[in-house]
Amino acid sequence: MKRGICILTAFALAAGLAGCQSRAGETRAAAAEGRTLADTEAVQKAREEARKEGTETAEAGTEETGTAGNPASNGILVALDPGHQAPEVDMSGTEPNAPGSQEMKTQATGGTTGSYSGIGEYELNLDIARMVRDELEARGYEVVMTREDNQTAISNAQRAQLANEAGADIAVRIHANGSENPSASGALALIPSAENPWVGNLYEPSAYLAECILNSYCQATGFANQGIQTNDTMTGINWSQIPVVILEMGFMTNQNDDLRMADPQFRTQMVQGIVNGIEAYFL
């Protein structure tokens, strides 16, 4: 992927974790053999009262937390776009690079592959996006995914339109990088420039979003922070109507980056960094 101009430098950002706990009570009823009819009726009445009490408690919990055991929605909708899809999905058609643009680009590309892990970028992107979704929802965010599997045929413009039409507050596009230079490593972010003829108005909020996520991500993972770059050739950015960022999580052509991103425990750190960065943006 071609590099643009680095526009911001990193500084440390961290966001605390939030959680919810739910409590439930248990009601027990027992009766001895040979109980009288009155005893039986009393037990049944007690059970009915216990069920009623439990229902009222559950309803109260729903009012406070949205659904029993889940945190209340904070009213923020995040669009997650796991880049690419399985190579057997034909995305060779073309579409305008931006609304009204005469330049036509391929609907989507296949992405890269881990030089050492053998994992396809499309697989890595979806796995991380799913984990990010689950963590965001656990913290009270609502999430819309541009794809839930690797066989979905959806173009880059359609991904942006899906996020726009869903009313998302931000769009976070999950990608991984590749380079002919195997020593290239670290994470970077891509956003539109202020001079972008279609979405230049999104530059400032996108820059801040990228800053929050990239700094938090690099802090959590220890990956080198390669900075924020502007790029006005990305269809998925040019069709966006909301702050948008592409997070290039690491280089799949670098042994250290590739094998670490393939490690399940390390992926947890990756996800925490991304989610903490999203939270920092909304603070």
Side-chain angles (χ1 to χ4, degrees):
M1 179 172 292
K2 295 182 179 179
R3 297 194 173 190
I5 302 171
C6 182
I7 59 173
L8 294 172
T9 57
F11 67 89
L13 280 176
L17 296 176
C20 295
Q21 295 181 338
S22 60
R23 299 178 180 177
E26 296 180 350
T27 304
R28 298 179 180 177
E33 293 182 1
R35 66 172 61 144
T36 64
L37 178 60
D39 291 335
T40 302
E41 292 176 346
V43 171
Q44 291 176 341
K45 183 177 180 181
R47 285 175 174 169
E48 290 174 358
E49 292 178 351
R51 280 195 294 267
K52 181 179 179 181
E53 181 179 350
T55 300
E56 292 174 347
T57 300
E59 289 176 350
T62 299
E63 291 177 358
E64 294 177 358
T65 65
T67 56
N70 293 325
S73 171
N74 58 19
I76 298 172
L77 177 60
V78 176
L80 296 178
D81 177 25
H84 309 291
Q85 53 265 101
E88 62 267 21
V89 180
D90 183 11
M91 299 301 297
S92 59
T94 60
E95 63 186 359
N97 185 41
S101 173
Q102 298 303 308
E103 179 184 359
M104 303 299 289
K105 293 188 65 177
T106 303
Q107 291 179 335
T109 57
T112 189
T113 301
S115 297
Y116 303 87
S117 69
I119 297 173
E121 183 192 347
Y122 68 95
E123 298 175 288
L124 171 66
N125 296 340
L126 180 59
D127 289 345
I128 296 299
R130 284 171 171 167
M131 294 174 67
V132 170
R133 174 199 61 196
D134 293 346
E135 181 63 23
L136 283 171
E137 289 179 344
R139 300 190 192 190
Y141 292 83
E142 297 178 29
V143 178
V144 59
M145 300 271 287
T146 61
R147 66 181 179 95
E148 298 276 1
D149 57 58
N150 290 316
Q151 284 69 47
T152 297
I154 181 169
S155 74
N156 288 319
Q158 290 170 336
R159 293 165 188 256
Q161 291 172 310
L162 186 153
N164 297 338
E165 293 169 4
D169 294 283
I170 59 172
V172 180
R173 307 183 64 199
I174 305 295
H175 282 253
N177 224 332
S179 173
E180 294 180 358
N181 179 6
S183 66
S185 65
L188 59 89
L190 298 171
I191 60 170
S193 74
E195 293 74 33
N196 186 301
W198 300 283
V199 292
N201 62 305
L202 297 178
Y203 165 72
E204 288 190 6
S206 297
Y208 182 57
L209 176 63
E211 186 177 51
C212 290
I213 293 177
L214 184 59
N215 290 336
S216 177
Y217 177 81
C218 290
Q219 183 179 24
T221 61
F223 275 5
N225 189 326
Q226 300 296 351
I228 301 169
Q229 302 173 11
T230 58
N231 191 310
D232 295 333
T233 69
M234 299 293 185
T235 306
I237 287 179
N238 292 340
W239 280 86
S240 184
Q241 297 173 359
I242 56 179
V244 58
V245 60
I246 295 177
L247 175 65
E248 297 282 0
M249 301 181 290
F251 283 78
M252 300 189 79
T253 47
N254 176 270
Q255 183 174 8
N256 179 69
D257 287 10
D258 185 29
L259 294 181
R260 293 185 78 185
M261 290 190 292
D263 180 77
Q265 292 185 339
F266 188 73
R267 286 185 178 187
T268 299
Q269 295 174 236
M270 295 167 64
V271 169
Q272 291 297 316
I274 294 170
V275 175
N276 288 346
I278 291 172
E279 285 214 303
Y281 174 81
F282 288 107
L283 290 179

